[in-house]
PDB file of all heavy atoms in Angstrom:
ATOM      1  N   ARG A   3     -11.283 -58.583  43.206  1.00  0.00           N
ATOM      2  CA  ARG A   3     -12.283 -58.082  42.277  1.00  0.00           C
ATOM      3  C   ARG A   3     -12.512 -56.610  42.631  1.00  0.00           C
ATOM      4  O   ARG A   3     -12.867 -56.296  43.770  1.00  0.00           O
ATOM      5  CB  ARG A   3     -13.594 -58.862  42.404  1.00  0.00           C
ATOM      6  CG  ARG A   3     -13.503 -60.351  42.083  1.00  0.00           C
ATOM      7  CD  ARG A   3     -14.797 -61.044  42.490  1.00  0.00           C
ATOM      8  NE  ARG A   3     -15.049 -60.865  43.924  1.00  0.00           N
ATOM      9  CZ  ARG A   3     -16.182 -61.199  44.529  1.00  0.00           C
ATOM     10  NH1 ARG A   3     -17.182 -61.714  43.827  1.00  0.00           N
ATOM     11  NH2 ARG A   3     -16.335 -61.011  45.831  1.00  0.00           N
ATOM     12  N   ILE A   4     -12.326 -55.722  41.653  1.00  0.00           N
ATOM     13  CA  ILE A   4     -12.404 -54.292  41.930  1.00  0.00           C
ATOM     14  C   ILE A   4     -13.412 -53.647  40.989  1.00  0.00           C
ATOM     15  O   ILE A   4     -13.332 -53.808  39.765  1.00  0.00           O
ATOM     16  CB  ILE A   4     -11.035 -53.610  41.764  1.00  0.00           C
ATOM     17  CG1 ILE A   4     -10.017 -54.249  42.723  1.00  0.00           C
ATOM     18  CG2 ILE A   4     -11.143 -52.105  42.014  1.00  0.00           C
ATOM     19  CD1 ILE A   4      -8.615 -53.685  42.593  1.00  0.00           C
ATOM     20  N   ALA A   5     -14.374 -52.920  41.567  1.00  0.00           N
ATOM     21  CA  ALA A   5     -15.333 -52.138  40.794  1.00  0.00           C
ATOM     22  C   ALA A   5     -14.921 -50.672  40.859  1.00  0.00           C
ATOM     23  O   ALA A   5     -14.778 -50.106  41.953  1.00  0.00           O
ATOM     24  CB  ALA A   5     -16.742 -52.316  41.347  1.00  0.00           C
ATOM     25  N   LEU A 256     -24.006 -48.910  47.768  1.00  0.00           N
ATOM     26  CA  LEU A 256     -22.896 -49.778  48.127  1.00  0.00           C
ATOM     27  C   LEU A 256     -23.430 -51.062  48.765  1.00  0.00           C
ATOM     28  O   LEU A 256     -24.345 -51.020  49.585  1.00  0.00           O
ATOM     29  CB  LEU A 256     -21.984 -49.046  49.123  1.00  0.00           C
ATOM     30  CG  LEU A 256     -20.722 -49.765  49.599  1.00  0.00           C
ATOM     31  CD1 LEU A 256     -19.706 -49.839  48.466  1.00  0.00           C
ATOM     32  CD2 LEU A 256     -20.125 -49.020  50.794  1.00  0.00           C
ATOM     33  N   GLY A 261     -19.413 -55.888  57.526  1.00  0.00           N
ATOM     34  CA  GLY A 261     -18.741 -54.649  57.898  1.00  0.00           C
ATOM     35  C   GLY A 261     -17.720 -54.147  56.900  1.00  0.00           C
ATOM     36  O   GLY A 261     -16.935 -53.253  57.215  1.00  0.00           O
ATOM     37  N   ARG A 262     -17.739 -54.664  55.641  1.00  0.00           N
ATOM     38  CA  ARG A 262     -16.829 -54.156  54.624  1.00  0.00           C
ATOM     39  C   ARG A 262     -17.508 -54.192  53.258  1.00  0.00           C
ATOM     40  O   ARG A 262     -18.589 -54.762  53.085  1.00  0.00           O
ATOM     41  CB  ARG A 262     -15.520 -54.937  54.592  1.00  0.00           C
ATOM     42  CG  ARG A 262     -15.615 -56.381  54.163  1.00  0.00           C
ATOM     43  CD  ARG A 262     -14.225 -56.941  53.824  1.00  0.00           C
ATOM     44  NE  ARG A 262     -13.655 -56.299  52.639  1.00  0.00           N
ATOM     45  CZ  ARG A 262     -12.569 -55.553  52.634  1.00  0.00           C
ATOM     46  NH1 ARG A 262     -11.905 -55.311  53.744  1.00  0.00           N
ATOM     47  NH2 ARG A 262     -12.118 -55.034  51.501  1.00  0.00           N
ATOM     48  N   THR A 263     -16.872 -53.563  52.305  1.00  0.00           N
ATOM     49  CA  THR A 263     -17.402 -53.460  50.960  1.00  0.00           C
ATOM     50  C   THR A 263     -17.591 -54.844  50.324  1.00  0.00           C
ATOM     51  O   THR A 263     -16.714 -55.701  50.411  1.00  0.00           O
ATOM     52  CB  THR A 263     -16.438 -52.638  50.088  1.00  0.00           C
ATOM     53  OG1 THR A 263     -16.309 -51.328  50.649  1.00  0.00           O
ATOM     54  CG2 THR A 263     -16.940 -52.517  48.673  1.00  0.00           C
ATOM     55  N   ALA A 264     -18.756 -54.998  49.674  1.00  0.00           N
ATOM     56  CA  ALA A 264     -19.023 -56.267  48.980  1.00  0.00           C
ATOM     57  C   ALA A 264     -19.405 -56.038  47.521  1.00  0.00           C
ATOM     58  O   ALA A 264     -19.670 -56.997  46.800  1.00  0.00           O
ATOM     59  CB  ALA A 264     -20.136 -57.031  49.685  1.00  0.00           C
ATOM     60  N   GLY A 265     -19.447 -54.766  47.069  1.00  0.00           N
ATOM     61  CA  GLY A 265     -19.816 -54.469  45.693  1.00  0.00           C
ATOM     62  C   GLY A 265     -20.708 -53.256  45.625  1.00  0.00           C
ATOM     63  O   GLY A 265     -20.796 -52.467  46.578  1.00  0.00           O
ATOM     64  N   ALA A 276     -17.850 -57.131  44.399  1.00  0.00           N
ATOM     65  CA  ALA A 276     -16.476 -56.652  44.374  1.00  0.00           C
ATOM     66  C   ALA A 276     -15.894 -56.691  45.774  1.00  0.00           C
ATOM     67  O   ALA A 276     -16.595 -56.445  46.762  1.00  0.00           O
ATOM     68  CB  ALA A 276     -16.406 -55.235  43.815  1.00  0.00           C
ATOM     69  N   ASP A 277     -14.598 -56.978  45.851  1.00  0.00           N
ATOM     70  CA  ASP A 277     -13.891 -56.931  47.128  1.00  0.00           C
ATOM     71  C   ASP A 277     -13.505 -55.502  47.487  1.00  0.00           C
ATOM     72  O   ASP A 277     -13.386 -55.154  48.659  1.00  0.00           O
ATOM     73  CB  ASP A 277     -12.632 -57.794  47.062  1.00  0.00           C
ATOM     74  CG  ASP A 277     -12.928 -59.214  46.604  1.00  0.00           C
ATOM     75  OD1 ASP A 277     -13.756 -59.876  47.263  1.00  0.00           O
ATOM     76  OD2 ASP A 277     -12.351 -59.639  45.587  1.00  0.00           O
ATOM     77  N   ILE A 278     -13.315 -54.684  46.437  1.00  0.00           N
ATOM     78  CA  ILE A 278     -12.888 -53.292  46.604  1.00  0.00           C
ATOM     79  C   ILE A 278     -13.690 -52.434  45.649  1.00  0.00           C
ATOM     80  O   ILE A 278     -13.934 -52.824  44.492  1.00  0.00           O
ATOM     81  CB  ILE A 278     -11.380 -53.140  46.319  1.00  0.00           C
ATOM     82  CG1 ILE A 278     -10.561 -53.877  47.386  1.00  0.00           C
ATOM     83  CG2 ILE A 278     -10.971 -51.674  46.257  1.00  0.00           C
ATOM     84  CD1 ILE A 278      -9.088 -53.959  47.065  1.00  0.00           C
ATOM     85  N   VAL A 279     -14.108 -51.260  46.115  1.00  0.00           N
ATOM     86  CA  VAL A 279     -14.799 -50.287  45.273  1.00  0.00           C
ATOM     87  C   VAL A 279     -13.975 -49.004  45.247  1.00  0.00           C
ATOM     88  O   VAL A 279     -13.577 -48.489  46.295  1.00  0.00           O
ATOM     89  CB  VAL A 279     -16.219 -49.997  45.793  1.00  0.00           C
ATOM     90  CG1 VAL A 279     -16.853 -48.838  45.017  1.00  0.00           C
ATOM     91  CG2 VAL A 279     -17.090 -51.245  45.681  1.00  0.00           C
ATOM     92  N   VAL A 280     -13.727 -48.510  44.046  1.00  0.00           N
ATOM     93  CA  VAL A 280     -13.014 -47.243  43.859  1.00  0.00           C
ATOM     94  C   VAL A 280     -13.991 -46.261  43.228  1.00  0.00           C
ATOM     95  O   VAL A 280     -14.420 -46.452  42.089  1.00  0.00           O
ATOM     96  CB  VAL A 280     -11.773 -47.427  42.962  1.00  0.00           C
ATOM     97  CG1 VAL A 280     -11.086 -46.080  42.735  1.00  0.00           C
ATOM     98  CG2 VAL A 280     -10.805 -48.428  43.578  1.00  0.00           C
ATOM     99  N   ALA A 281     -14.376 -45.228  43.971  1.00  0.00           N
ATOM    100  CA  ALA A 281     -15.352 -44.251  43.496  1.00  0.00           C
ATOM    101  C   ALA A 281     -14.632 -43.075  42.851  1.00  0.00           C
ATOM    102  O   ALA A 281     -13.842 -42.389  43.498  1.00  0.00           O
ATOM    103  CB  ALA A 281     -16.226 -43.768  44.653  1.00  0.00           C
ATOM    104  N   ASN A 469      -7.971 -40.616  50.051  1.00  0.00           N
ATOM    105  CA  ASN A 469      -8.288 -41.627  49.047  1.00  0.00           C
ATOM    106  C   ASN A 469      -8.784 -42.922  49.680  1.00  0.00           C
ATOM    107  O   ASN A 469      -9.631 -43.615  49.114  1.00  0.00           O
ATOM    108  CB  ASN A 469      -7.059 -41.904  48.180  1.00  0.00           C
ATOM    109  CG  ASN A 469      -6.506 -40.639  47.542  1.00  0.00           C
ATOM    110  OD1 ASN A 469      -5.497 -40.129  47.994  1.00  0.00           O
ATOM    111  ND2 ASN A 469      -7.170 -40.119  46.524  1.00  0.00           N
ATOM    112  N   ARG A 470      -8.285 -43.242  50.860  1.00  0.00           N
ATOM    113  CA  ARG A 470      -8.786 -44.389  51.597  1.00  0.00           C
ATOM    114  C   ARG A 470      -9.873 -43.904  52.558  1.00  0.00           C
ATOM    115  O   ARG A 470      -9.610 -43.062  53.413  1.00  0.00           O
ATOM    116  CB  ARG A 470      -7.677 -45.074  52.393  1.00  0.00           C
ATOM    117  CG  ARG A 470      -8.097 -46.434  52.983  1.00  0.00           C
ATOM    118  CD  ARG A 470      -7.247 -46.805  54.197  1.00  0.00           C
ATOM    119  NE  ARG A 470      -5.840 -46.836  53.902  1.00  0.00           N
ATOM    120  CZ  ARG A 470      -5.148 -47.902  53.488  1.00  0.00           C
ATOM    121  NH1 ARG A 470      -5.776 -49.042  53.311  1.00  0.00           N
ATOM    122  NH2 ARG A 470      -3.851 -47.827  53.257  1.00  0.00           N
ATOM    123  N   THR A 471     -11.081 -44.381  52.399  1.00  0.00           N
ATOM    124  CA  THR A 471     -12.164 -43.942  53.279  1.00  0.00           C
ATOM    125  C   THR A 471     -12.135 -44.748  54.582  1.00  0.00           C
ATOM    126  O   THR A 471     -11.473 -45.781  54.665  1.00  0.00           O
ATOM    127  CB  THR A 471     -13.541 -44.147  52.612  1.00  0.00           C
ATOM    128  OG1 THR A 471     -13.889 -45.543  52.663  1.00  0.00           O
ATOM    129  CG2 THR A 471     -13.534 -43.671  51.166  1.00  0.00           C
ATOM    130  N   PRO A 472     -12.862 -44.293  55.605  1.00  0.00           N
ATOM    131  CA  PRO A 472     -12.911 -45.053  56.855  1.00  0.00           C
ATOM    132  C   PRO A 472     -13.584 -46.416  56.715  1.00  0.00           C
ATOM    133  O   PRO A 472     -13.416 -47.271  57.584  1.00  0.00           O
ATOM    134  CB  PRO A 472     -13.729 -44.145  57.789  1.00  0.00           C
ATOM    135  CG  PRO A 472     -13.609 -42.774  57.210  1.00  0.00           C
ATOM    136  CD  PRO A 472     -13.532 -42.985  55.736  1.00  0.00           C
ATOM    137  N   PHE A 473     -14.342 -46.608  55.640  1.00  0.00           N
ATOM    138  CA  PHE A 473     -15.048 -47.880  55.481  1.00  0.00           C
ATOM    139  C   PHE A 473     -14.165 -48.881  54.737  1.00  0.00           C
ATOM    140  O   PHE A 473     -13.672 -48.590  53.647  1.00  0.00           O
ATOM    141  CB  PHE A 473     -16.355 -47.666  54.726  1.00  0.00           C
ATOM    142  CG  PHE A 473     -17.273 -48.847  54.792  1.00  0.00           C
ATOM    143  CD1 PHE A 473     -17.926 -49.168  55.967  1.00  0.00           C
ATOM    144  CD2 PHE A 473     -17.466 -49.654  53.685  1.00  0.00           C
ATOM    145  CE1 PHE A 473     -18.762 -50.264  56.035  1.00  0.00           C
ATOM    146  CE2 PHE A 473     -18.297 -50.744  53.745  1.00  0.00           C
ATOM    147  CZ  PHE A 473     -18.956 -51.057  54.928  1.00  0.00           C
ATOM    148  N   PRO A 474     -13.938 -50.061  55.274  1.00  0.00           N
ATOM    149  CA  PRO A 474     -13.016 -51.022  54.654  1.00  0.00           C
ATOM    150  C   PRO A 474     -13.404 -51.378  53.222  1.00  0.00           C
ATOM    151  O   PRO A 474     -14.552 -51.708  52.924  1.00  0.00           O
ATOM    152  CB  PRO A 474     -13.127 -52.258  55.563  1.00  0.00           C
ATOM    153  CG  PRO A 474     -13.565 -51.716  56.888  1.00  0.00           C
ATOM    154  CD  PRO A 474     -14.481 -50.571  56.551  1.00  0.00           C
ATOM    155  N   GLY A 475     -12.424 -51.276  52.330  1.00  0.00           N
ATOM    156  CA  GLY A 475     -12.629 -51.665  50.939  1.00  0.00           C
ATOM    157  C   GLY A 475     -13.161 -50.574  50.046  1.00  0.00           C
ATOM    158  O   GLY A 475     -13.365 -50.808  48.854  1.00  0.00           O
ATOM    159  N   LEU A 476     -13.391 -49.368  50.578  1.00  0.00           N
ATOM    160  CA  LEU A 476     -13.940 -48.272  49.786  1.00  0.00           C
ATOM    161  C   LEU A 476     -12.891 -47.164  49.645  1.00  0.00           C
ATOM    162  O   LEU A 476     -12.373 -46.668  50.652  1.00  0.00           O
ATOM    163  CB  LEU A 476     -15.200 -47.717  50.449  1.00  0.00           C
ATOM    164  CG  LEU A 476     -15.906 -46.546  49.745  1.00  0.00           C
ATOM    165  CD1 LEU A 476     -16.355 -46.949  48.339  1.00  0.00           C
ATOM    166  CD2 LEU A 476     -17.099 -46.070  50.578  1.00  0.00           C
ATOM    167  N   TYR A 477     -12.589 -46.802  48.398  1.00  0.00           N
ATOM    168  CA  TYR A 477     -11.573 -45.787  48.093  1.00  0.00           C
ATOM    169  C   TYR A 477     -12.182 -44.714  47.193  1.00  0.00           C
ATOM    170  O   TYR A 477     -13.178 -44.950  46.506  1.00  0.00           O
ATOM    171  CB  TYR A 477     -10.375 -46.409  47.390  1.00  0.00           C
ATOM    172  CG  TYR A 477      -9.619 -47.415  48.233  1.00  0.00           C
ATOM    173  CD1 TYR A 477     -10.077 -48.725  48.358  1.00  0.00           C
ATOM    174  CD2 TYR A 477      -8.450 -47.060  48.900  1.00  0.00           C
ATOM    175  CE1 TYR A 477      -9.392 -49.650  49.131  1.00  0.00           C
ATOM    176  CE2 TYR A 477      -7.758 -47.984  49.676  1.00  0.00           C
ATOM    177  CZ  TYR A 477      -8.238 -49.272  49.789  1.00  0.00           C
ATOM    178  OH  TYR A 477      -7.562 -50.189  50.553  1.00  0.00           O
ATOM    179  N   CYS A 478     -11.554 -43.537  47.189  1.00  0.00           N
ATOM    180  CA  CYS A 478     -12.006 -42.427  46.339  1.00  0.00           C
ATOM    181  C   CYS A 478     -10.851 -41.919  45.487  1.00  0.00           C
ATOM    182  O   CYS A 478      -9.721 -41.776  45.965  1.00  0.00           O
ATOM    183  CB  CYS A 478     -12.534 -41.272  47.185  1.00  0.00           C
ATOM    184  SG  CYS A 478     -14.015 -41.620  48.123  1.00  0.00           S
ATOM    185  N   ILE A 503      -4.047 -49.722  47.585  1.00  0.00           N
ATOM    186  CA  ILE A 503      -4.706 -51.016  47.386  1.00  0.00           C
ATOM    187  C   ILE A 503      -3.673 -52.139  47.320  1.00  0.00           C
ATOM    188  O   ILE A 503      -3.913 -53.269  47.778  1.00  0.00           O
ATOM    189  CB  ILE A 503      -5.579 -50.978  46.128  1.00  0.00           C
ATOM    190  CG1 ILE A 503      -6.767 -50.030  46.349  1.00  0.00           C
ATOM    191  CG2 ILE A 503      -6.057 -52.365  45.725  1.00  0.00           C
ATOM    192  CD1 ILE A 503      -7.602 -49.773  45.121  1.00  0.00           C
TER     193      ILE A 503
END
Side-chain angles (χ1 to χ4, degrees):
R3 298 170 301 171
I4 301 177
L256 182 71
R262 66 165 293 115
T263 300
D277 307 303
I278 293 171
V279 172
V280 178
N469 305 104
R470 190 204 303 269
T471 76
F473 193 72
L476 180 60
Y477 296 81
C478 294
I503 292 173

